[in-house]
């Protein structure tokens, strides 16, 4: 049965696959305990550097990552030597559904540094950064994919609580850290945010009840887009003359809003061997000047029981007339009305809390061990992770670390290589190994990471 509900499901599934193709992460946690890693201040603003540095524009701090409990490999399979989607008959029901969760999550973030520098002044260490950042994610219930794979049967499907969100903005950050005494160091960053675009999509209610003699469907959905210049495209239902939203005609990135955020951090050295640290990152918001909304305007329902078919072709409720009326009523179920600009809206950032403990070997102070606990607070996309690392700096210009992590999205291995000498600095690392990739070098795993940067230490 090709129902409008199925169209909604295919749209959501396509969105999930698109989001799974590429992403850029915020910070390289593997560098938290590497003291000559120039961007430790992005993980904790209390951390300072011994070196002054200038970032190579666009290359100073670039990261690529994905995160979730389902990845591209959940939806792509090898069937007789060829890549096929989960809908291929050669992919068994048990194989596919065994990889699907009750709540399927995927999120990604972007942090691309345009300009950056760090230097000693004003009694401490100072940083200046201009970054482009983006946060996006989608959550979809497992019943959606189950219905797509097995086809609609006489049962109840609940597609409620589908959620999608995205937020892109520019960030101008000024940081300062300083020693309070020999044991305590404090730091903070103030960030001016320029909103570029924001999107939220929610299906708060999506139910389909199929029976022997008919079915009932209920939908409640809303889409909201904020941008400097945005407009929906429309289509007219030829049968009902209803004009509805069928896509986004334009959504230009430009100055669409402003906001503020802050990072706060502290480091406490108990003695030469043991130190503790904590930070709160991205505590802030962006206020967008507009919010273009498309909505079902509350619950929309459809029930086939209300149609009575008459064998008389001349009757008002003839088979042809009733089928036509049923089709019209059914199509209206998923037609979102353009509600226009509903005015300003605020979007909070995904805040992160880091808590770390580091132990340096007294007999060999070039080697340390660290434990980092990290929690991100972002509604349905919240996650917690613990990372245990071993880090070594055999010579002043070179350091390296390996770590193992465990948390919301499973267990992973990470590493970092870091080289800094006067005139040239390079780091490369992963918080989570990429694992297998598609032919286009797209990671197949849900959670993966690659970070690198080129800078000029002075």
């Amino acid at each position: 049965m090709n129902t409008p509900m199925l169209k909604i499901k295919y749209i959501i599934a396509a969105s999930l696959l698109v989001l799974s193709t590429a992403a850029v992460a915020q910070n390289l946690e593997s560098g938290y305990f590497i003291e000559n890693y120039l961007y430790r201040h992005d993980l904790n603003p209390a951390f300072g550097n011994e070196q002054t540095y200038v970032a190579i524009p666009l290359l100073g701090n670039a990261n690529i990552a994905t995160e979730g409990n389902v990845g591209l490999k959940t939806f792509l399979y090898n069937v007789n030597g060829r890549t096929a989607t989960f809908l291929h008959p050669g992919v068994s029901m048990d194989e596919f559904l065994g990889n699907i969760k009750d709540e399927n999550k995927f999120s990604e973030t972007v942090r691309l540094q345009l300009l950056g520098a760090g230097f000693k002044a004003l009694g401490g260490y100072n940083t200046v950064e201009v970054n482009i950042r983006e946060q996006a994610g989608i959550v979809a219930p497992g019943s959606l994919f189950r219905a797509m794979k097995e086809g609609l049967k006489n049962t109840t499907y609940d597609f409620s609580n589908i959620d999608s969100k995205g937020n892109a903005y520019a960030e101008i950050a000024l940081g300062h850290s300083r020693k309070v005494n020999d044991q305590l160091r404090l730091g903070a960053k103030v960030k001016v945010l320029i909103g570029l675009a924001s999107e939220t999509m929610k299906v708060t209610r999506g139910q389909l009840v199929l029976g022997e003699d008919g079915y009932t469907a209920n939908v409640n959905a809303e889409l909201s887009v904020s941008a400097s210049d945005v407009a929906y495209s429309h289509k007219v239902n030829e049968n009902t003359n209803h004009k509805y939203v069928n896509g986004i005609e334009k959504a230009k990135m430009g100055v669409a809003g402003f906001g503020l955020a802050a990072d706060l951090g502290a480091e406490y050295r108990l003695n030469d061997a043991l130190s503790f640290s904590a930070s709160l990152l991205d505590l802030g918001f962006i206020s967008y000047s507009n919010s273009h909304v498309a909505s079902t305007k509350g619950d929309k329902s459809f029930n086939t029981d209300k149609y009575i078919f008459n064998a008389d072709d001349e009757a008002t409720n003839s088979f042809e007339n009733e089928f036509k009326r049923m089709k019209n009523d059914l199509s209206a179920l998923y037609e979102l009305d353009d509600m226009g600009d509903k005015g300003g809206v605020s979007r909070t950032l995904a805040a992160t809390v880091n808590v770390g403990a580091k132990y340096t070997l007294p007999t060999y102070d070039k080697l340390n061990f660290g434990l980092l606990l990290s929690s991100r607070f972002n509604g349905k996309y919240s996650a917690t992770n613990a990372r245990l690392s071993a880090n070594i700096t055999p010579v002043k210009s070179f350091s390296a670390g390996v770590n193992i992590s465990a948390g919301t999205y499973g267990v992973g291995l990470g590493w970092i290589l870091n080289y800094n000498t006067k005139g040239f600095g390079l780091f490369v690392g992963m918080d989570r190994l990429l694992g297998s990739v598609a032919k286009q070098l797209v990671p197949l795993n849900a959670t993966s990471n690659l970070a690198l940067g080129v800078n000029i230490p002075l």
Side-chain angles (χ1 to χ4, degrees):
M1 185 181 297
N2 185 18
T3 68
M5 185 67 73
L6 275 179
K7 294 182 181 180
I8 293 175
K9 292 184 291 177
Y10 277 99
I11 291 171
I12 299 300
S15 300
L16 185 62
L17 288 172
V18 169
L19 276 175
S20 299
T21 57
V24 184
Q26 290 188 29
N27 300 306
L28 181 63
E29 293 181 357
S30 296
Y32 191 91
F33 299 105
I34 303 288
E35 293 201 2
N36 63 347
Y37 170 54
L38 296 175
Y39 290 97
R40 287 209 309 156
H41 58 79
D42 283 334
L43 295 156
N44 187 328
F47 294 151
N49 295 323
E50 291 298 322
Q51 296 167 297
T52 295
Y53 75 91
V54 176
I56 300 293
L58 297 177
L59 296 178
N61 188 9
N63 305 279
I64 301 175
T66 59
E67 183 179 75
N69 60 5
V70 291
L72 198 57
K73 69 177 183 180
T74 305
F75 304 97
L76 297 180
Y77 295 83
N78 188 311
V79 179
N80 299 324
R82 290 190 168 188
T83 300
T85 71
F86 65 97
L87 297 174
H88 193 282
V91 179
S92 71
M93 189 80 65
D94 291 340
E95 181 181 10
F96 172 64
L97 294 181
N99 296 323
I100 292 297
K101 311 296 189 291
D102 290 338
E103 190 174 58
N104 300 275
K105 299 181 180 182
F106 184 86
S107 64
E108 51 89 5
T109 56
V110 170
R111 187 191 189 114
L112 179 63
Q113 187 177 72
L114 303 181
L115 300 170
F119 55 94
K120 290 182 177 180
L122 305 174
Y125 194 80
N126 307 276
T127 58
V128 179
E129 298 173 275
V130 179
N131 303 309
I132 294 294
R133 301 184 62 176
E134 179 257 352
Q135 303 164 346
I138 187 168
V139 177
S143 56
L144 183 153
F145 302 104
R146 178 169 64 89
M148 293 175 64
K149 178 61 179 174
E150 69 181 9
L152 295 179
K153 298 182 178 180
N154 294 330
T155 187
T156 298
Y157 296 92
D158 192 343
F159 310 121
S160 303
N161 300 316
I162 296 175
D163 184 280
S164 171
K165 65 191 301 184
N167 195 19
Y169 58 96
E171 170 188 83
I172 302 171
L174 304 176
H176 178 78
S177 69
R178 64 168 61 209
K179 282 187 176 181
V180 176
N181 53 47
D182 289 340
Q183 292 179 299
L184 180 64
R185 186 181 184 97
L186 300 177
K189 284 186 182 182
V190 176
K191 304 177 180 182
V192 176
L193 310 178
I194 303 171
L196 303 178
S198 176
E199 169 270 333
T200 63
M201 189 278 293
K202 295 181 182 295
V203 179
T204 55
R205 188 181 186 192
Q207 295 174 328
L208 182 60
V209 181
L210 299 180
E212 293 290 343
D213 302 319
Y215 61 88
T216 301
N218 300 282
V219 173
N220 188 329
E222 182 175 285
L223 171 68
S224 175
V225 178
S226 299
S228 63
D229 186 11
V230 59
Y232 293 124
S233 58
H234 302 88
K235 190 174 182 179
V236 176
N237 187 318
E238 296 179 356
N239 298 304
T240 63
N241 223 22
H242 176 224
K243 184 179 180 182
Y244 63 95
V245 172
N246 73 328
I248 299 176
E249 183 175 299
K250 61 179 179 178
K252 294 182 180 179
M253 279 198 179
V255 178
F258 294 94
L260 292 172
D263 295 351
L264 304 172
E267 182 185 24
Y268 182 78
R269 295 182 180 269
L270 184 64
N271 50 49
D272 290 339
L274 190 61
S275 65
F276 303 93
S277 59
S279 62
L280 173 61
L281 310 178
D282 295 323
L283 183 65
F285 67 95
I286 301 175
S287 290
Y288 286 93
S289 59
N290 57 54
S291 176
H292 292 262
V293 175
S295 172
T296 59
K297 297 193 293 188
D299 287 350
K300 281 190 175 181
S301 300
F302 175 84
N303 192 326
T304 55
D305 291 342
K306 71 178 183 178
Y307 301 96
I308 301 175
F309 296 90
N310 193 319
D312 184 357
D313 291 340
E314 301 300 323
T316 57
N317 60 338
S318 65
F319 278 102
E320 182 179 353
N321 291 338
E322 283 294 83
F323 272 125
K324 186 175 181 180
R325 189 163 65 90
M326 185 172 70
K327 178 183 176 182
N328 294 344
D329 289 349
L330 187 56
S331 65
L333 190 65
Y334 66 99
E335 294 175 353
L336 302 182
D337 289 309
D338 191 339
M339 309 300 292
D341 186 354
K342 291 296 184 180
V345 63
S346 292
R347 308 291 189 201
T348 57
L349 304 186
T352 299
V353 172
N354 292 320
V355 178
K358 182 178 73 170
Y359 177 72
T360 303
L361 285 183
T363 56
Y364 186 65
D365 61 5
K366 301 180 186 301
L367 177 65
N368 71 65
F369 300 91
L371 175 63
L372 176 65
L373 303 178
S374 181
S375 294
R376 185 178 64 255
F377 301 94
N378 192 23
K380 290 178 177 289
Y381 309 94
S382 297
T384 299
N385 195 62
R387 189 177 303 274
L388 181 63
S389 65
N391 311 282
I392 189 169
T393 307
V395 294
K396 187 176 181 180
S397 60
F398 177 76
S399 55
V402 294
N403 57 80
I404 184 171
S405 62
T408 302
Y409 298 116
V411 177
L413 298 174
W415 58 272
I416 181 174
L417 298 174
N418 183 64
Y419 178 78
N420 283 324
T421 190
K422 191 172 182 179
F424 180 75
L426 171 68
F427 72 85
V428 60
M430 295 180 180
D431 283 338
R432 182 74 72 95
L433 296 178
L434 290 178
S436 56
V437 297
K439 292 181 180 179
Q440 298 79 10
L441 300 181
V442 175
L444 295 177
N445 293 332
T447 303
S448 57
N449 171 274
L450 172 65
L452 59 89
V454 182
N455 297 270
I456 304 175
L458 302 175

